[in-house]
Amino acid sequence: MSRVFSGIQPSGELHIGNYLGAVKNWVELQDSHECFICIVDYHAITQAYEVGTLQRRTLEMAMGLLAAGIDPGKCVLFVQSHVVEHTELAWVFTTVTPIGELERMTQFKDKSRRQESVLAGLLNYPVLQAADVLLYKADLVPVGEDQVQHVELMREVARKWNAKYHAGYFPEPQADIGKAKRIQGLDGRGKMSKSLGNTIGILDEPDQIWERIRPAKTDPARVRRTDPGTPEICNMYALHQHFSSPPVVQEVAEKCRTAGWGCIECKRVLADNIAEAFAPMRQRAKELAEAPERVGQILAEGAEKARVVARETMAGVRAHMGLLPVALREPAER
Ligand code: AMP
Ligand code: TRP
C-alpha cells in the first residue's frame, strides 16, 4: 500500500479552492491509503504573518479539516512544528539541493517579489516540503496544480540524497492532482487564496456564501441582463460544475448563452448549492467547537504517531551519512 503525505498552511480558513483542489482528495484517499496530513506552520512563517493569531489559525485549520471529513481514526493529522525531525531533515536536504533549482521555483519568484529582502527561509521552502514528505517515505502527494513543481523538486532531492548516501532509501514521490486543478478566486484575478481575500470558506453560513457570491466577477460581456454570455469563460459556471447536478449545469449554460437568466439568478442557484454541499461540514464544525480540547488531543496523538516514523527515518539518515550516534539514544541502529 502506498503512503500518502500532504500539507496545508494554517491560514485558519479552509476555502473551496484548497478543499476542491486537495482536501476532498485526502478524505477519499484515507480509506485506501496510509495517510499523513500535516498543518505546516513552519512553512507559514516564511512570509510576514500575525504572531498573535497563529495558534488560533492552526487550531481552526485542524477543526476545518476534521469537519471536512479527515478522520483521525484512519489518518495521522498533526502539526509540523510538533515533530522536530521535519526541520532536521530539511537541514540535511539543504546539503544536496542546488540553489539554482530553488531560484527557479515559480512560487519563490512570485513571493520573493513581495519580500523587501529575500530571506533564506523562503528560498528553502521547497526543501522543507521535501523533508515533510520524505520523512515518511511517502510516495503519493495529493495537491493542487500549483504544487507540482515542488513535488518535482522533492523527487530530485530524493534522487540526489540516494545517489550520494544510500541507493533506494527514499522513494521518488508522485504528485496526485485532483479534478479541480485550480479554483479561480471570486474577483476573477487569479487563484482562490485566503491572502487575496477572494474566497468562500467551507464553513461559511449560507448568508455569508451569498454575500461573497453576489458581487463576484462574471463574464464581462454581460453588462445588461439582456446581454448574452459565454459560460466557458465565467467562473460562476466553473463553480456550478463542482456544485450543481449535470442537468442544472446544462441549464446554466443555456440560460447564460441566451440571456434567459441574469447573472444574479445564476448566482442564487450556485450559492444555494454550495451552502447545501457543506451543510454536513458546518454541523460537524459546530460539534467540534463545543469540544475544543478534543482537537488539541487529536493533534497531540497525531504528532505521537508521526514521530515514530520520523525518528526511524532520521536514524537511518544519520547512519548512512556517517554521523556519530548518541550511544544511549539509538544503540541498535548503528
Ligand atoms: P494552501 O491552502 O495554499 O496551503 O494549499 C493547500 C492545498 O490546496 C495545496 O495542495 C494547494 O495546491 C491546494 N490549493 C490551494 N488553493 C487552491 C486553488 N485555488 N485551487 C486548487 N487548489 C488549491
Ligand atoms: N506548500 C504547500 C502549499 O502551500 C503546503 C505543503 C507543505 C505541502 N508541505 C507539504 C503539500 C508537503 C504537500 C506535501 O500548498
Side-chain angles (χ1 to χ4, degrees), residues 34 36 55 84 116 143 162 178 224 243 282 285 289 298 329 332:
E34 198 183 347
F36 289 78
Q55 287 193 4
V84 294
E116 270 170 43
V143 282
N162 287 349
R224 279 165 308 224
F243 293 101
R282 288 196 298 278
I298 288 168
R329 186 162 70 169

Side-chain angles (χ1 to χ4, degrees), residues 7-9 15 17-18 21-22 26 142-147 180-183 191-192:
I8 188 160
Q9 300 218 24
H15 55 73
N18 43 27
W26 304 349
V143 282
E145 199 171 42
D146 62 335
Q147 295 301 313
K181 294 184 168 79
R182 188 174 194 266
I183 303 294
K191 77 164 182 177
M192 183 174 284

Side-chain angles (χ1 to χ4, degrees), residues 119-138:
L119 301 175
L122 189 68
L123 182 67
N124 282 312
Y125 180 113
V127 179
L128 178 58
Q129 190 166 344
D132 292 341
V133 173
L134 296 173
L135 195 49
Y136 302 92
K137 299 188 177 174

